[in-house]
Amino acid sequence: MGIFLSLFIYLISYLPVILARDVTRVTIFVDATKTVATNDEHFICATMDWWPHDKCNYNHCPWGNSSVINLDLSHPLLANAIQAFQSLRIRIGGSLQDQVLYDVGDLKAPCHPFRKMKDGLFGFSKGCLHMQRWDELNQLFNRTGAIVSFGLNALHGRHNIRHNAWGGAWDSNNARDFLKYTISMGYQIDSWEYGNELSGRTSIGASVDAELYGKDLINLKNIINELYKNSSSKPTILAPGGFFDQEWYAKFLQVSGSNVVNGVTHHIYNLGPGFDSNLVSKILNPQRLSRVSETFGNLKQTIEKYGPWASAWVGESGGAYNSGGRHVSNTFVNSFWYLDQLGMSSKYNTKVYCRQTLVGGNYGLLNATTFIPNPDYYSALLWHRLMGKGVLSVATDGSSSLRSYAHCSKEREGITLLLINLSNQTDYVISVHNSMNMKLTVKGKDINRESSLSRDIKRAVSWVGSTASDGHLTREEYHLTPKDGYLQSQTMVLNGIPLQLADDEGIPKLDPVRVDVNSPIYITHLSIAFIVFPNFSARACVV
């Protein structure tokens, strides 16, 4: 009863505002006869980075002890946050990965911690991963059920030849010894990624020629085949972990050839630099958010033409680069960008989306000091629990400020709809229809539209406080808003209740409100909602 009472009070308190604002009726059509794309079962992914505590941007050092090297792996909140996903995909990598040496085997170079170095890549020296630390990381992964992708150093043995171009042969010995140790310890690695942001004109810090890179991948594939020949499961290969450059990506796929690369990874930072004072307005600008769809589309076409055996991954995405936006990337407003990215990328057959970061920088899903979840953590968790693999086509007569995405529901019948209202002026009353028959059909019953807008608003409030009776069909709603209406709040509110850790530092329950399916959907300005229709007639979503 508490959750319904809280939401009732919340809606009633906003009712004068609701009545004073623009209220627009919108129809959304969902085609559930077929899927238009398919995600991986473990679509949600978060990264762990190598940045040391003295990585600073704009006179601010937001990383603290959140590196792969120094993160407190014993903190109960860290384990709880990962376990809540049951199987969270984690990608280990980042800018410094091509400077990491593995302290194992016949390593001929000294293995020291990262330190500031004026003429080093990204201002740092080479760093070291000791096997004791690798053991500790794998203990965490095994304990929490994490699915691990690890980014290998692709510059070892190479040297700078001009500007940011690097040449020479890749020295694979250190990587081979590292893989051998990993196998000998029984550590399960889902995929090995090769290099970070080395892709041609869009490279950051260093670049490698596409033909040379493609040949390296053949070498890496042979090493994996050799070392894992007696293993029950063989890791896949991800590449190139860079910003999309069509010519470079096409070339490396052609050179590496069929079935060498399994996941084609690219990075997204479409909001610009973290210091930009206009970050919030960029996030709330639908035209700005939609620009990146061209990248998703071009990558999809490139893979279909040159690497149809592979699938697209977003290997790293933090919205704003250089550690994210302070007081933006870790607040509620960032979920407008993040969830829109998840929905948009899904439509282009993206299999996995890795968020920068799990912890670290301003864009961490968890606070870098306390490990308390930031709002985007709950957005990721709700997506993971509610949105299934099958992506459905959606059409709407609403404005571009109302973003809508639909998937088959996860591990259950029906569909789940994600609604994102970017407007600060307009609230929406929404009716959802099955495009197969232009109306929502539920177990043979046709659901009629309300004729009066005032009746729509009244009914949107009237169901709060009780669930539908056993004889009625219901849907489930998860309404997300910022605490006290402040967009840059670090507290997310679900159905009127602020999300806070339990007394035992457990992740709070994310309970929906159940609504009579005859009721219209009401989504207020600057809010987000997941709507689950368990009884939606969906041929594409048979469990």
Side-chain angles (χ1 to χ4, degrees):
M1 176 63 74
I3 189 171
F4 299 110
L5 182 59
S6 297
L7 187 54
F8 176 71
I9 294 171
Y10 168 78
L11 286 174
I12 290 297
S13 67
Y14 274 85
L15 192 56
V17 179
I18 290 172
L19 295 174
R21 286 185 176 277
D22 295 333
V23 180
T24 300
R25 182 183 294 138
V26 169
T27 303
I28 292 176
F29 298 98
V30 179
D31 183 354
T33 61
K34 63 182 183 299
T35 57
V36 295
T38 306
N39 299 154
D40 187 84
E41 182 180 357
H42 306 290
F43 175 72
I44 295 293
C45 166
T47 69
M48 294 176 67
D49 211 308
W50 296 96
W51 287 121
H53 68 93
D54 48 355
K55 155 68 173 173
C56 305
N57 297 102
Y58 323 123
N59 299 314
H60 178 57
C61 307
W63 288 86
N65 292 323
S66 61
S67 163
V68 173
I69 299 299
N70 58 23
L71 181 66
D72 181 3
L73 303 179
S74 65
H75 198 293
L77 264 182
L78 177 63
N80 289 344
I82 298 173
Q83 285 174 320
F85 287 84
Q86 296 186 322
S87 51
L88 176 63
R89 190 181 290 277
I90 293 178
R91 177 250 186 180
I92 299 176
S95 298
L96 297 184
Q97 89 176 43
D98 294 307
Q99 294 168 253
V100 177
L101 300 176
Y102 317 115
D103 190 19
V104 63
D106 188 24
L107 179 62
K108 301 187 185 304
C111 208
H112 298 307
F114 288 111
R115 65 183 187 278
K116 289 270 190 169
M117 179 181 285
K118 186 176 181 181
D119 58 349
L121 272 178
F122 305 102
F124 285 91
S125 69
K126 293 179 180 179
C128 185
L129 175 61
H130 296 286
M131 292 305 96
Q132 181 180 348
R133 182 62 175 181
W134 184 229
D135 296 340
E136 293 167 351
L137 285 161
N138 278 278
Q139 288 168 16
L140 172 70
F141 300 148
N142 292 338
R143 190 168 72 250
T144 58
I147 301 169
V148 180
S149 299
F150 188 96
L152 294 168
N153 181 344
L155 293 182
H156 188 50
R158 293 201 156 109
H159 59 277
N160 181 250
I161 54 178
R162 65 181 179 279
H163 303 300
N164 72 334
W166 285 57
W170 175 50
D171 184 347
S172 62
N173 289 324
N174 192 222
R176 174 189 286 270
D177 288 341
F178 179 52
L179 266 66
K180 286 174 66 176
Y181 178 84
T182 299
I183 295 168
S184 72
M185 298 299 291
Y187 300 149
Q188 298 298 309
I189 303 300
D190 180 76
S191 48
W192 296 101
E193 188 172 28
Y194 183 66
N196 185 80
E197 298 178 353
L198 303 174
S199 47
R201 293 171 297 178
T202 59
S203 62
I204 305 295
S207 67
V208 174
D209 177 76
E211 183 168 355
L212 192 61
Y213 185 90
K215 292 177 179 177
D216 288 344
L217 289 171
I218 297 173
N219 184 14
L220 178 59
K221 182 74 169 183
N222 290 335
I223 291 171
I224 289 175
N225 285 340
E226 175 193 341
L227 297 182
Y228 283 90
K229 62 184 177 182
N230 297 321
S231 299
S232 58
S233 60
K234 186 181 299 182
T236 57
I237 292 180
L238 308 177
F243 293 97
F244 180 65
D245 176 328
Q246 196 277 335
E247 182 179 350
W248 195 97
Y249 270 59
K251 182 69 172 178
F252 101 79
L253 283 170
Q254 289 173 293
V255 172
S256 58
S258 178
N259 295 311
V260 171
V261 174
N262 307 99
V264 179
T265 49
H266 69 120
H267 294 179
I268 297 286
Y269 286 91
N270 58 320
L271 297 178
F275 69 80
D276 191 341
S277 60
N278 296 314
L279 275 181
V280 171
S281 61
K282 285 182 176 180
I283 289 171
L284 297 177
N285 183 328
Q287 287 73 38
R288 175 78 189 211
L289 294 181
S290 294
R291 286 182 198 172
V292 74
S293 63
E294 182 177 354
T295 299
F296 291 127
N298 289 340
L299 176 62
K300 182 175 181 288
Q301 292 176 4
T302 299
I303 293 173
E304 290 172 348
K305 184 174 182 180
Y306 299 103
W309 54 84
S311 58
W313 286 37
V314 173
E316 180 183 312
S317 181
Y321 58 80
N322 286 343
S323 303
R326 194 178 183 188
H327 306 311
V328 176
S329 298
N330 58 350
T331 69
F332 177 84
V333 72
N334 204 62
S335 279
F336 291 109
W337 164 80
Y338 181 37
L339 286 172
D340 190 65
Q341 277 281 294
L342 298 181
M344 186 188 306
S345 64
S346 293
K347 296 195 303 180
Y348 291 91
N349 230 27
T350 300
K351 299 303 180 186
V352 174
Y353 193 105
C354 295
R355 167 61 181 267
Q356 175 83 343
T357 60
L358 175 61
V359 55
N362 294 308
Y363 36 37
L365 296 179
L366 307 176
N367 182 284
T369 303
T370 66
F371 294 89
I372 293 173
N374 288 319
D376 280 358
Y377 172 85
Y378 295 112
S379 295
L381 188 55
L382 281 169
W383 178 289
H384 179 75
R385 291 178 176 178
L386 301 177
M387 304 290 268
K389 296 188 297 183
V391 185
L392 304 173
S393 176
V394 175
T396 176
D397 59 4
S399 81
S400 60
S401 291
L402 179 64
R403 322 284 277 189
S404 53
Y405 301 99
H407 284 227
C408 297
S409 292
K410 190 163 189 176
E411 298 176 355
R412 61 188 296 191
E413 293 184 350
I415 70 165
T416 299
L417 186 67
L418 169 62
L419 301 171
I420 304 170
N421 187 357
L422 301 173
S423 175
N424 64 356
Q425 296 180 335
T426 304
D427 300 340
Y428 291 98
V429 175
I430 300 168
S431 59
V432 179
H433 294 253
N434 193 324
S435 62
M436 184 170 58
N437 52 15
M438 305 306 283
K439 57 192 170 186
L440 179 60
T441 304
V442 185
K443 290 187 176 178
K445 300 179 182 179
D446 294 340
I447 307 303
N448 299 318
R449 292 179 61 184
E450 294 293 318
S451 59
S452 166
L453 186 58
S454 61
R455 180 171 172 79
D456 282 344
I457 297 174
K458 178 181 176 183
R459 293 185 68 182
V461 175
S462 66
W463 52 260
V464 181
S466 62
T467 57
S469 64
D470 293 340
H472 292 170
L473 298 170
T474 64
R475 64 175 183 261
E476 300 165 10
E477 299 191 354
Y478 302 78
H479 292 269
L480 304 175
T481 53
K483 186 178 180 181
D484 300 325
Y486 178 49
L487 284 179
Q488 288 169 261
S489 171
Q490 288 183 266
T491 301
M492 178 173 275
V493 175
L494 171 61
N495 294 332
I497 300 176
L499 292 174
Q500 299 173 331
L501 295 173
D503 292 339
D504 62 355
E505 295 192 325
I507 301 302
K509 292 183 178 180
L510 304 180
D511 293 324
V513 288
R514 289 175 173 79
V515 187
D516 190 310
V517 77
N518 287 283
S519 304
I521 299 169
Y522 189 87
I523 180 166
T524 188
H525 60 284
L526 297 176
S527 72
I528 300 164
F530 289 91
I531 313 294
V532 181
F533 296 92
N535 304 100
F536 196 96
S537 181
R539 264 184 289 169
C541 303
V542 177
V543 178

